Amino acid sequence: MSGPFQLPDLPYAYDALAPVISSDTVTLHHDKHHAAYYNALNGLVEGTAMAEMTLEEVVVKSGNDASLAKMFNQAGQAWNHIIYWEQMAPGGASTPSGKLAEMIDRDFGSFDEMKAQFVQTAVTTFGAGWAWLAMDGGKLELISSSNAGNPLAMGKTTLCGVDVWEHAYYLDYQNRRPDHVKAVLDSAVNWSYVGERLEDAL
Ligand code: MN
């Protein structure tokens, strides 16, 4: 691959998230889908000022300029999947502690209630997109975004994102998006890591 933006390696083995997400799904999702967003992005920025920017800068700029919608589709997806892979914990999830636990209880009532609302947010995202746990103005919130949309482009802090494009779950769960999202939140997301993201932003 050539170009200014380089696909990060998967931060664990391809089978590390099984059975929540199978090795086949992780392999296709990282090596084909995530890689394709990088390839397309590198093609689009070639010869432009954006080739000198960070990926985050490209996401914010293209996400707030309708004339750069094609760029945002690729840059947003390149960035979203970094968030997605990094937040997962091989071997199962931890539970929130510290400030994250406090804020979840304050803003949602309980961890279980937050996860239930997260699943609903994912299920009601029409078509391809993402469900996010984000922070805005010191308050946690759940966001549904279409296609490549993300809290970063909205000026919010991104804490956790679940990909609800069919490529993220169809091999393993077919049409059962709610089951997939519930399994990811219950048994794959590393909530300690999500808590670190929150602490870094406070
Ligand atoms: Mn994806």
Side-chain angles (χ1 to χ4, degrees):
M1 189 188 310
S2 63
F5 300 107
Q6 297 293 320
L7 174 69
D9 289 337
L10 193 71
Y12 32 73
Y14 290 100
D15 62 357
L17 303 178
V20 178
I21 310 175
S22 70
S23 178
D24 283 352
T25 292
V26 171
T27 302
L28 281 167
H29 200 173
H30 179 273
D31 292 4
K32 302 299 180 187
H33 292 277
H34 198 183
Y37 298 126
Y38 270 85
N39 285 333
L41 175 63
N42 281 326
L44 287 169
V45 299
E46 197 177 346
T48 76
M50 291 208 205
E52 310 301 322
M53 293 182 183
T54 65
L55 180 58
E56 287 79 5
E57 289 169 340
V58 175
V59 167
V60 171
K61 183 171 172 57
S62 63
N64 290 282
D65 181 341
S67 73
L68 297 173
K70 272 188 185 170
M71 179 90 71
F72 180 70
N73 285 340
Q74 306 302 333
Q77 284 291 73
W79 187 82
N80 292 352
H81 288 82
I82 297 174
I83 295 294
Y84 182 77
W85 299 124
E86 284 182 346
Q87 76 197 358
M88 303 296 190
S94 52
T95 52
S97 60
K99 196 72 188 165
L100 178 62
E102 271 175 40
M103 289 177 69
I104 286 173
D105 287 347
R106 185 195 69 190
D107 296 338
F108 296 98
S110 69
F111 182 45
D112 283 346
E113 179 58 25
M114 186 279 287
K115 287 192 292 184
Q117 290 184 28
F118 204 137
V119 171
Q120 270 311 108
T121 302
V123 168
T124 54
T125 300
F126 185 74
W130 292 75
W132 303 95
L133 177 66
M135 180 171 63
D136 191 21
K139 193 169 187 301
L140 300 184
E141 62 184 20
L142 292 162
I143 296 171
S144 163
S145 70
S146 293
N147 299 318
N150 59 44
L152 174 63
M154 301 170 191
K156 302 170 191 274
T157 301
T158 304
L159 298 175
C160 174
V162 176
D163 187 346
V164 295
W165 285 57
E166 287 185 347
H167 66 230
Y169 61 88
Y170 221 80
L171 280 181
D172 301 335
Y173 295 81
Q174 291 79 48
N175 60 315
R176 300 188 305 280
R177 184 190 284 191
D179 293 353
H180 168 72
V181 176
K182 186 173 189 319
V184 167
L185 296 176
D186 284 343
S187 307
V189 170
N190 180 352
W191 293 102
S192 299
Y193 182 78
V194 174
E196 288 171 25
R197 273 190 192 148
L198 173 69
E199 302 269 353
D200 287 348
L202 289 173

